[in-house]
């Protein structure tokens, strides 16, 4: 099926002819198979903002800020909505497997596309190790006869095989993984609200209504400043929203997919993040110790309602979230490597696809580094792996900043070259773009005042500086060769 949208492939420059719309040519001009269906893209878009951190890590944020954590989620959610709108504007006009990295290459310069592409790839291969270990812990609890490292290996191998078969198999797995997460959270919100207002038959919860939002020290029990502390704790749970713009390049109608994903991001964040955390805060007092116990805040909320085997139910859902994150992480890392290879910023082999339209070398290379990171996690968890975690910790914010600056330049380029493609527009341009840049910059600066955040920002800046230096040295050498 041919695409009706211009696809900027890894080696294609804006303004040059693209034959992807001509009869008889694949919909993806870069060789990737357009194997993702609309339902795949829709569920990837919905599930992309739901990670295991929401289920497990939200209790720590609640303990740090109290009910005001809702404002933390709202602030970060607003920031993500703006960033996604900017990215949607560019992706709808020029769908690309490299997404923001390819756009940064075009708008800001080769160094920007190279740097943010490799930093993003680095982020996701570290995530592979984190999620594989998290999934292995759950599976070991169910089948203790198999060691944890073996479960991590099995999980990685299964999802690698899935990604190698075809992009359609990745989409199908992600459709069901994301579907389970979406149904679980929707059910949690509905059942929780019924219990909150005393309408759930047989519930163990007293049905206090909205009283728990203010009955234990008020809405700001830790002071208004705790909202910013909460921001630092929740900001990284939103990473992954941008995956749909990478996947759009392998869909039948990239422009339509990006439009739908961009337009739906507001209600997705409102329902899945704000809605579910609101339910937790109204079912239990914010300082209830069960919220920060091993099962997490969702398990504590389910226990308060009287749901039998709440811990095991949530373990199944968390495992699904982990597998979903692993699946998408491997896909995202491989497509970024593919795009970098096509632009000459990575080995050319990364840009090759097999007969099924799958970038096999890019996938296997990403998996190898994922396995190495898993090994570091088991061998040196508190030194080498902790360094990897911290040095990739602020990459999400760097990516969002680059998207903002890229959109400032890209708007004019699209208007000059393909004005008819500007079907998604950032609101109040350029004022909201600059406001988003200020918000992200403020979060980064505020992280420097936090002990844990300071180390993440400084180490991430160190790695970013190293990557930028490499890119600039490469550019100088290439100019000398051309001269």
């Amino acid at each position: 099926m041919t695409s009706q949208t211009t696809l900027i492939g890894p080696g294609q420059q804006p303004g040059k002819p693209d034959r992807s719309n001509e009869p008889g040519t694949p919909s993806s001009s870069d060789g990737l198979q357009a194997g993702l269906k609309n339902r795949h893209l829709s569920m990837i878009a919905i599930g992309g903002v739901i990670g295991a951190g929401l289920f497990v890590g939200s209790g720590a944020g609640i303990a740090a800020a109290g009910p005001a954590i809702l404002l933390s989620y709202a602030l970060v959610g607003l920031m993500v909505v703006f960033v996604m709108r900017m990215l949607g504007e560019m992706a709808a006009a020029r769908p690309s497997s490299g997404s923001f990295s390819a756009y940064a290459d075009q708008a800001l310069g080769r160094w920007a596309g190279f740097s943010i592409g490799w930093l993003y790839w680095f982020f996701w291969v570290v995530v592979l190790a984190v999620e594989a270990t998290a999934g292995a812990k759950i599976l070991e609890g169910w089948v203790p006869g198999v060691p944890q490292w073996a479960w991590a290996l099995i999980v990685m191998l299964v999802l690698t095989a899935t990604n190698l078969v075809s992009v359609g198999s990745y989409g199908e797995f992600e459709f069901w993984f994301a579907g389970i997460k979406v149904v679980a959270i929707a059910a949690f919100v509905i059942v929780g609200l019924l219990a909150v207002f005393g309408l759930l038959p047989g519930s163990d919860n007293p049905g206090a209504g909205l009283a728990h939002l203010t009955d234990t020290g008020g809405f700001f029990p830790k002071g208004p400043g705790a909202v910013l502390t909460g921001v630092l704790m929740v900001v990284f749970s939103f990473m992954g929203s941008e995956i749909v713009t990478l996947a759009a390049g392998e869909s039948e109608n990239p422009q339509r997919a990006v439009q739908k994903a961009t337009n739906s991001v507001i209600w997705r964040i409102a329902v899945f993040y704000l809605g579910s955390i609101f339910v937790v805060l109204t079912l239990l007092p914010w300082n209830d110790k069960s919220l920060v116990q091993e099962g997490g805040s969702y398990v504590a909320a389910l226990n308060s309602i009287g749901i039998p085997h709440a811990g095991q139910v949530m373990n199944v859902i968390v495992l699904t979230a982990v597998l979903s994150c692993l699946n998408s992480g491997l896909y995202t890392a491989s497509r970024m490597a593919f795009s970098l290879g096509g632009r000459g910023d990575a080995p050319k082999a990364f840009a090759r696809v097999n007969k099924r339209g799958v970038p096999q070398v890019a996938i296997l290379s990403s998996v190898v580094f994922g396995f190495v990171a898993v090994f570091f996690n088991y061998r040196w968890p508190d030194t080498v792996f902790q360094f990897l975690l911290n040095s990739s910790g602020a990459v999400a914010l760097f990516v969002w900043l680059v998207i903002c600056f890229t959109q400032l330049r890209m708007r004019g380029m699209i208007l000059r070259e393909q004005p008819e493609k500007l079907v998604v527009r950032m609101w109040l341009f350029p004022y909201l773009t600059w406001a988003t840049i200020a918000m992200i910059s403020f979060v980064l600066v505020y992280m420097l005042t936090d002990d844990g955040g300071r180390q993440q920002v400084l180490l991430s800046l160190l790695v970013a500086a190293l990557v930028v230096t490499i890119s600039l040295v490469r550019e100088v050498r290439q100019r000398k060769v051309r001269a």
Side-chain angles (χ1 to χ4, degrees), residues 5 57 139 237 240 247 251 254 397 459:
T5 321
L139 290 166
S237 64
S251 69
L397 294 169
L459 287 177

Side-chain angles (χ1 to χ4, degrees), residues 3 14 40 44 48 54 85 132 165 187 220-221 249 314 324 353 368 370 400 434:
S3 170
H40 294 154
I44 290 169
L54 177 63
R85 186 74 185 183
V165 171
F220 297 97
M314 194 51 62
S324 172
V353 296
V368 166
W400 294 347
W434 281 110

Side-chain angles (χ1 to χ4, degrees), residues 101 104-105 109-119 340 343-346 466-468 470-472 474-475:
S101 173
D105 192 310
R110 190 73 176 270
W111 68 271
F114 176 97
S115 303
I116 206 63
W118 277 114
L119 285 172
L340 288 165
R343 286 179 273 142
D345 292 334
L466 178 63
V467 175
V468 170
I470 292 172
S471 70
L472 293 175
R474 286 178 76 254
E475 280 196 45

Side-chain angles (χ1 to χ4, degrees), residues 172-188:
E172 199 63 32
F173 264 70
E174 192 56 27
F175 175 81
W176 292 105
F177 286 158
I180 292 171
K181 289 188 290 184
V182 168
V183 170
I185 294 185
F188 174 79

Side-chain angles (χ1 to χ4, degrees), residues 397-473:
L397 294 169
F398 295 167
V399 167
W400 294 347
L401 265 182
V402 167
I403 290 171
C404 294
F405 283 112
T406 300
Q407 191 259 343
L408 285 172
R409 294 286 304 277
M410 187 67 84
R411 168 67 76 90
M413 293 170 64
I414 296 171
L415 284 174
R416 285 193 303 272
E417 298 166 12
Q418 299 169 301
E420 74 282 0
K421 299 289 187 182
L422 201 62
V423 294
V424 176
R425 289 175 180 260
M426 177 59 183
W427 308 294
L428 298 176
F429 177 83
Y431 307 109
L432 266 186
T433 301
W434 281 110
T436 308
I437 290 171
M439 290 168 67
I440 298 170
S441 301
F442 177 79
V443 172
L444 281 168
V445 172
Y446 189 76
M447 284 179 73
L448 293 172
T449 67
D450 178 77
D451 291 338
R454 185 184 308 113
Q455 192 174 27
Q456 287 189 5
V457 172
L458 293 177
L459 287 177
S460 296
L461 281 172
L462 177 64
V463 172
L466 178 63
V467 175
V468 170
T469 301
I470 292 172
S471 70
L472 293 175
V473 169

Side-chain angles (χ1 to χ4, degrees), residues 42-126:
S42 297
M43 199 55 76
I44 290 169
I46 294 171
V49 293
I50 309 170
L54 177 63
F55 299 105
V56 181
S58 54
I62 292 172
I69 194 69
L70 283 170
L71 295 181
S72 304
Y73 275 101
L75 284 171
V76 178
L78 187 65
M79 197 160 64
V80 171
V81 166
F82 291 159
V83 170
M84 279 298 293
R85 186 74 185 183
M86 286 180 255
L87 185 54
E89 176 180 299
M90 297 182 287
R94 295 175 174 174
S96 168
S97 60
S99 189
F100 49 84
S101 173
Y103 308 143
D105 192 310
Q106 297 161 24
L108 303 179
R110 190 73 176 270
W111 68 271
F114 176 97
S115 303
I116 206 63
W118 277 114
L119 285 172
Y120 193 67
W121 178 87
F122 172 58
F123 172 86
W124 280 110
V125 293
V126 174

Side-chain angles (χ1 to χ4, degrees), residues 35-394:
L36 292 177
K37 300 176 182 176
N38 287 335
R39 65 183 179 88
H40 294 154
L41 264 294
S42 297
M43 199 55 76
I44 290 169
I46 294 171
V49 293
I50 309 170
L54 177 63
F55 299 105
V56 181
S58 54
I62 292 172
I69 194 69
L70 283 170
L71 295 181
S72 304
Y73 275 101
L75 284 171
V76 178
L78 187 65
M79 197 160 64
V80 171
V81 166
F82 291 159
V83 170
M84 279 298 293
R85 186 74 185 183
M86 286 180 255
L87 185 54
E89 176 180 299
M90 297 182 287
R94 295 175 174 174
S96 168
S97 60
S99 189
F100 49 84
S101 173
Y103 308 143
D105 192 310
Q106 297 161 24
L108 303 179
R110 190 73 176 270
W111 68 271
F114 176 97
S115 303
I116 206 63
W118 277 114
L119 285 172
Y120 193 67
W121 178 87
F122 172 58
F123 172 86
W124 280 110
V125 293
V126 174
V127 167
L128 291 181
V130 174
E131 299 298 336
T133 304
K137 285 181 180 177
I138 295 173
L139 290 166
E140 187 188 30
W142 294 344
V143 188
V146 179
Q148 196 177 116
W149 66 266
W151 277 122
L153 182 65
I154 292 168
V155 166
M156 290 276 278
L157 288 174
V158 168
L159 293 179
T160 300
T162 300
N163 275 265
L164 284 172
V165 171
S166 69
V167 68
S169 63
Y170 154 72
E172 199 63 32
F173 264 70
E174 192 56 27
F175 175 81
W176 292 105
F177 286 158
I180 292 171
K181 289 188 290 184
V182 168
V183 170
I185 294 185
F188 174 79
V189 170
I190 293 169
V191 172
L193 286 175
L194 289 174
V196 164
F197 295 106
L199 302 175
L200 186 68
S203 172
D204 294 343
N205 194 279
L210 305 182
H212 287 322
L213 293 177
T214 54
D215 64 4
T216 312
F219 190 75
F220 297 97
K222 298 292 186 76
V227 173
L228 294 176
T229 303
V231 164
L232 301 187
M233 301 183 78
V234 307
V235 67
F236 302 109
S237 64
F238 283 85
M239 189 66 169
S241 307
E242 65 289 328
I243 290 175
V244 69
T245 63
L246 281 83
E250 293 177 79
S251 69
E252 298 169 342
N253 192 332
Q255 192 178 72
R256 181 170 175 266
V258 169
Q259 277 184 278
K260 286 181 66 176
T262 304
N263 292 335
S264 66
V265 70
I266 298 174
W267 71 259
R268 285 186 278 134
I269 289 173
V271 173
F272 297 127
Y273 279 86
L274 289 173
S276 60
I277 297 300
F278 174 81
V279 167
V280 171
L281 287 165
T282 48
L283 284 174
L284 289 166
W286 69 270
N287 58 353
D288 192 300
K289 292 182 180 178
S290 63
L291 291 172
V292 290
Q293 289 174 355
E294 189 174 345
S297 57
Y298 284 67
V299 172
L302 291 173
N303 282 331
S304 76
I305 297 173
I307 301 294
H309 311 294
Q312 286 304 318
V313 170
M314 194 51 62
N315 268 341
V316 173
I317 296 168
V318 170
L319 179 62
T320 303
V322 163
L323 294 176
S324 172
C325 195
L326 256 176
N327 195 36
S328 289
L330 180 53
Y331 171 84
T332 306
S334 65
R335 274 12 178 222
M336 188 56 73
F338 170 81
S339 179
L340 288 165
R343 286 179 273 142
D345 292 334
K348 289 183 179 179
F350 283 14
R352 294 180 191 146
V353 296
N354 60 22
K355 293 179 181 179
R356 296 184 300 276
V358 173
Q360 187 170 306
V361 175
I363 291 173
L364 292 175
S365 300
S366 301
V367 169
V368 166
F369 281 93
F371 276 129
V372 170
V374 169
F375 172 74
F376 287 154
N377 194 9
Y378 285 107
R379 186 69 180 84
W380 300 291
D382 299 322
T383 52
V384 178
F385 188 70
Q386 193 61 42
F387 171 80
L388 291 179
L389 276 181
N390 286 330
S391 58
S392 65

